[in-house]
Amino acid sequence: KPTFHEIRALGSRLHERAGTDVASIQVLMGHADPEMTEVYLDGHDIRWLQAQGSALSMAELLSKPGA
């Protein structure tokens, strides 16, 4: 599941892609510092990579204590 901050970052990125200026995104995000807004906007064009040899099956995940 995405975390709260991942959802916030996605929202800011979608606003940026829609043409909203960074100053307005900063206000929407409630950031006092524009550099913090830039942190949320950076890095969202990086594609996810699958780690080799680390995938567990759903059965393995469900059989773990505390799962």
Side-chain angles (χ1 to χ4, degrees):
K1 295 180 182 179
T3 67
F4 173 75
H5 285 93
E6 289 170 329
I7 293 168
R8 278 178 54 89
L10 174 60
S12 66
R13 179 68 171 128
L14 292 174
H15 272 285
E16 181 184 47
R17 289 183 70 184
T20 306
D21 62 281
V22 175
S24 295
I25 295 171
Q26 178 183 345
V27 171
L28 289 169
M29 301 286 288
H31 294 151
D33 188 354
E35 284 78 24
M36 180 54 68
T37 304
E38 291 296 337
V39 168
Y40 274 86
L41 295 174
D42 286 342
H44 295 285
D45 291 328
I46 300 168
R47 294 175 110 7
W48 288 90
L49 300 175
Q50 178 68 40
Q52 297 299 315
S54 65
L56 296 174
S57 70
M58 186 58 72
E60 290 173 307
L61 290 171
L62 295 175
S63 68
K64 302 290 182 195

